[in-house]
Every structure is written in structure tokens, then in C-alpha cells.
Amino acid sequence: MALKFPIFLDAQSTTPVDPRVVDAMLPYFTEKFGHPASRNHPFGWEAEAAVDEARAQLARLIGARDAKELVFTSGGTESINLAIKGVAEMYREKGNHIVTTVIEQRAGLDVCKRLERQGFEVAYVPVQPDGLVDVETVRKAVTDKTILISVMFANNEIGTIQDVAAIGKLAKEKGIIFHTDATQALGKIPVDVEAMGIDLLSCTSHLIYGPKGVGALYVRRKAPRVRIAPLIDGGGHERGMRSGTLPVPLIVGFGRAAEICGEVMAEERTRLAGLRDHLQDVILSNVDEAFLNGHPERRLPHNLNISFAYVEGESVLMGLNKETALSSGSACTSSTLEPSYVIAALGASAELAHSSIRFSLHRFNTAEEIDYVGQRTLEVVKRLREMSPLYELAKEGVDIKSIQWKAE
Ligand SMILES: Cc1ncc(COP(=O)(O)O)c(C=O)c1O
């Protein structure tokens, strides 16, 4: 089959909406347009039933006991804000300390920075060179004032999957609320709030082949019952935790997307990991000084993050971007030219942090597309290195670090 350009390999910034999801959504824009809070007529009942169904679909995907534990929001960013700020406000009397990690997505980090300005103390736990958080380091960071541990499930740049169950267990032992940003993990790998001891879980629809502009926060109701202060006051929707008319078509799409992920996850994981491993082999066996970022096994099946020494990540993207959509960092940071703070947190040099490329695959990618991208990446990196004086010097055996760049 002829390839269709541009090829999308940036599926950790967003995913295309699955046509089955669009089909499920369409009637809710037109004939089924009711307001789910309209309790006194069939339009409202129909909309409410659709929202309930979506809540149940999502609850099944994360192993929640009760669909009422899910609060719909506008997306991952809002869910993370609601979780962390909501706990901070509700439990302030109990303590003012939060434990998180240095590789959280911007939303988590920026919320913590704001809370610090408001008098909270935050411990930012480092990660190991493979991107894993050491659970013992989390344990040591906990104080008697800690009210929340917030650790992302899987990273958006390097795909590293944390030992969430161990962190959940630790949080339980200490009686601390545990939040995880599962935005990248949901629908891709098994997530189980009960088995993993998760109290709050943030997720978003647009990364699981659903529409943009809708997400959810799981809020545990039992053992323990977690309470959060709302960010938005108003009509008291979503049991007072998130007021505002629910976007029914988006919620229906999110629910359907979750249902499909549950059905295809096992097969899709294997298929995408196979394509990803092939791409990785092609690149790493043909390019010298190319390094895999993140944990080689404990990572999302569709993620591949590689640093190419002596080459700027941005230049690789520019060399490829007419035909292939990739990212040199998270979608939110790739508009700046700052090196990736996630790769830097692994202990990589600034040069290698600048040279990282993220390939992320999705449900509709084909083996032909992956072959094409692999070959083109080899060509572009080769061409860029031919133009790189540093690469030339390194090949001549010069120790780049020993060079004195400034004229005296
Ligand atoms: C790990 C992670 N958390 C949170 C978000 C934000 O989600 P949203 O775009 O739905 O606000 C993203 C977005 O890509 C993400 O990758």
C-alpha cells in the first residue's frame, strides 16, 4: 500500500480519534443533545444515561469499584490541578508537605511550584539513570507533615513505567494519599486502582484515541475516602467536585475510547512493541553513539526515545518534518529550545539532552511506515553528522571535552 504522508509518530502528544469513537459521539451533537442535569424530561434522562455509561466504561478500564469515583474534567492538566490543589486545600490542617518527582509532566510540576509559593513544602524525588523512581527514596522523602505523594505512572518522554503498586503500598502504610498521573499509561498498559493502591488518578481522552477537551480524575471513595476541594464552584455537578455542564458528546467519546482500549490492549501492546523494537534495532544497529533513553524493559510499548550524539534533536526533526511528525520532547516543551528536563534528570549531558528524539507509535501505524521512518532517520542523522565538525573531530580521536573553545 502506498504510504500516506506525513506519517504521525508523535502519539504521546495526542492520538487520532478512532472512527468507532466518532460514531458513538455523533448522535449526542444532534438528536441526543440533552443536558444531563435536566431531571424532568427524556432529553435529560438520555444524556444522563450516556454519561453514566461512559463513567462505567472508564471505571472498568481502571478497575474502580464504583463508577461514581470518576469526575469528568477538561483533560489531564485539569485533573492534575484538581487532585494536587484539591488535596492541598482540603488537608492543609493535617500537613503542608508533598512528595513528587523531578520528571512529572509540567502540570504536576507547576502546580507544586505554585503551592510552594503558598507555603507548602515539596520534595522532588530524583530518578535513576533509567528513569525509575526508587521507592526507598520516596520513603525517605516522606515526613510527618506529608499529605500527598504524587508520582506519574508512565513518563511522556521516555515511557518509563514506575512501580506504582509499590508506591501505593508505601502510601497506604504511611496513611498518605497517593495520586498518579496516568495520562500516558491509561489504555496502553494495565492500570488497576484497587490492586495498585491508587487514591487519585488523572487521565485524559485525547491520548487514548478519544476527543480532546475531556479527561477524568478518579477519586477513591472507600478505604480511605478521599476528599478534595473543587477548583471550580458553581452548580455542584460531579458531586460538587467539578461544576459546569458536562460535555456529553466528548464524555461519550471518552467512554467508548476506554472501552475499545480495554478490548484491544493485549493485542495492541504486543503489536506496537514489536514495531517499536524493530525501529529501535534498525536505528541502534546502524548509528554509532545513539543511546536509548529510559528503561529498556519497563517502558510503554509504543515509546522509543533516542539521543544521537553530535546532532541537535531539532535538526533531526527539521530534516524529517515534511514527511514524519515526531517530537524532541513533550509537546508542551518542544516549542522552546530548552533541553529536555526529563532526559537531563537521567544524568545525561546537556548535549545529549538536546539531541533526544521521541518516536511514539499509535494504533493505526503500519509496518511500512515504521520501516520508512527508520530508513529516513538513518539518512538524516548521517547527513547531519557529515556536516558536524564535532563528530569529525571525535572520529579523529580528539577528546571533545578537552577542547579549549575560547581564544585567550
Ligand atoms: C504525562 C502527561 N500528563 C498530563 C498531560 C496533560 O493532559 P491534557 O493535554 O489532557 O491536559 C499530558 C499531555 O500530553 C501528559 O503527557
Side-chain angles (χ1 to χ4, degrees):
M1 214 171 77
L3 288 174
K4 202 166 150 258
F5 293 103
I7 295 167
F8 189 71
L9 276 197
D10 195 15
Q12 283 174 279
S13 67
T14 194
T15 52
V17 180
D18 190 305
R20 293 168 285 183
V21 169
V22 178
D23 287 346
M25 290 170 68
L26 285 177
Y28 292 90
F29 288 104
T30 50
E31 70 264 31
K32 301 182 181 185
F33 60 84
H35 191 306
S38 298
R39 290 268 155 76
N40 48 1
H41 55 68
F43 289 90
W45 304 332
E46 185 175 55
E48 190 186 26
V51 169
D52 286 347
E53 169 65 7
R55 222 186 282 281
Q57 286 164 324
L58 199 53
R60 278 196 287 279
L61 187 62
I62 64 167
R65 259 197 282 235
D66 184 348
K68 288 203 195 77
E69 297 180 301
L70 284 151
V71 174
F72 286 113
T73 65
S74 64
T77 302
E78 187 187 327
S79 298
I80 294 164
N81 271 263
L82 178 56
I84 304 178
K85 291 178 183 167
V87 167
E89 187 181 329
M90 190 59 90
Y91 295 89
R92 190 163 192 154
E93 298 297 299
K94 207 174 157 211
N96 70 338
H97 187 255
I98 294 171
V99 176
T100 189
T101 81
V102 293
I103 60 161
E104 299 299 300
Q105 200 258 2
R106 276 254 80 94
L109 292 176
D110 287 355
V111 168
C112 287
K113 290 269 167 314
R114 181 177 296 280
L115 290 174
E116 281 183 289
R117 293 196 290 276
Q118 295 170 1
F120 281 84
E121 284 173 26
V122 182
Y124 298 90
V125 171
V127 292
Q128 299 167 356
D130 55 14
L132 277 180
V133 172
D134 173 21
V135 182
E136 285 315 303
T137 314
V138 177
R139 185 189 298 279
K140 286 190 194 118
V142 166
T143 72
D144 57 358
K145 290 271 176 284
T146 307
I147 51 170
L148 179 70
I149 297 176
S150 182
V151 175
M152 73 193 322
F153 205 117
N155 184 265
N156 41 309
E157 292 192 41
I158 53 176
T160 303
I161 302 166
Q162 302 301 339
D163 191 348
V164 174
I167 300 168
K169 189 160 169 265
L170 166 68
K172 282 276 142 335
E173 265 167 51
K174 303 265 180 195
I176 299 168
I177 296 169
F178 174 39
H179 166 247
T180 189
D181 169 3
T183 300
Q184 293 287 345
L186 185 80
K188 315 294 166 57
I189 54 172
V191 170
D192 189 323
V193 290
E194 287 303 330
M196 296 170 172
I198 297 165
D199 299 317
L200 294 163
L201 177 143
S202 295
C203 58
T204 194
S205 152
H206 75 91
L207 284 163
I208 65 161
Y209 311 95
K212 293 171 183 57
V214 63
L217 178 66
Y218 161 82
V219 185
R220 177 175 288 282
R221 276 162 73 98
K222 251 197 206 146
R225 181 181 179 85
V226 175
R227 292 179 310 135
I228 51 168
L231 297 176
I232 299 173
D233 293 307
H237 312 89
E238 298 297 87
R239 293 165 312 289
M241 285 180 270
R242 207 287 190 173
S243 287
T245 300
L246 292 174
V248 179
L250 301 184
I251 290 173
V252 167
F254 189 13
R256 179 74 180 115
E259 180 178 59
I260 297 170
C261 283
E263 286 161 9
V264 304
M265 188 190 300
E267 178 273 329
E268 191 163 273
R269 265 176 95 181
T270 312
R271 189 180 79 85
L272 292 182
L275 292 178
R276 184 272 314 272
D277 291 347
H278 172 66
L279 182 59
Q280 177 177 318
D281 286 349
V282 167
I283 294 174
L284 294 186
S285 58
N286 286 290
V287 184
D288 60 328
E289 298 200 61
F291 306 98
L292 178 71
N293 293 311
H295 196 285
E297 280 99 40
R298 288 193 59 92
R299 70 182 149 145
L300 293 171
H302 57 304
N303 168 277
L304 175 62
N305 192 310
I306 292 182
S307 285
F308 298 96
Y310 312 108
V311 168
E312 290 271 330
E314 290 301 312
S315 314
V316 179
L317 293 195
M318 265 152 46
L320 286 167
N321 69 5
K322 287 209 178 62
E323 58 210 22
T324 307
L326 294 170
S327 164
S328 61
S330 72
C332 328
T333 53
S334 59
S335 59
T336 72
L337 283 179
E338 276 177 31
S340 155
Y341 65 87
V342 174
I343 310 290
L346 309 179
S349 64
E351 286 79 21
L352 281 182
H354 258 301
S355 74
S356 71
I357 298 288
R358 180 183 70 184
F359 303 83
S360 30
L361 285 66
H362 63 85
R363 180 171 292 164
F364 306 106
N365 283 129
T366 63
E368 291 74 24
E369 288 179 334
I370 302 305
D371 280 337
Y372 180 87
V373 173
Q375 288 313 315
R376 286 291 296 135
T377 305
L378 299 185
E379 286 163 22
V380 169
V381 171
K382 184 163 178 275
R383 184 167 51 76
L384 289 169
R385 283 191 173 167
E386 278 164 6
M387 298 188 304
S388 159
L390 281 183
Y391 183 65
E392 206 174 306
L393 287 171
K395 287 293 109 180
E396 284 165 12
V398 176
D399 177 5
I400 305 288
K401 289 198 192 74
S402 70
I403 299 176
Q404 289 254 292
W405 293 105
K406 264 198 190 150
E408 288 298 305

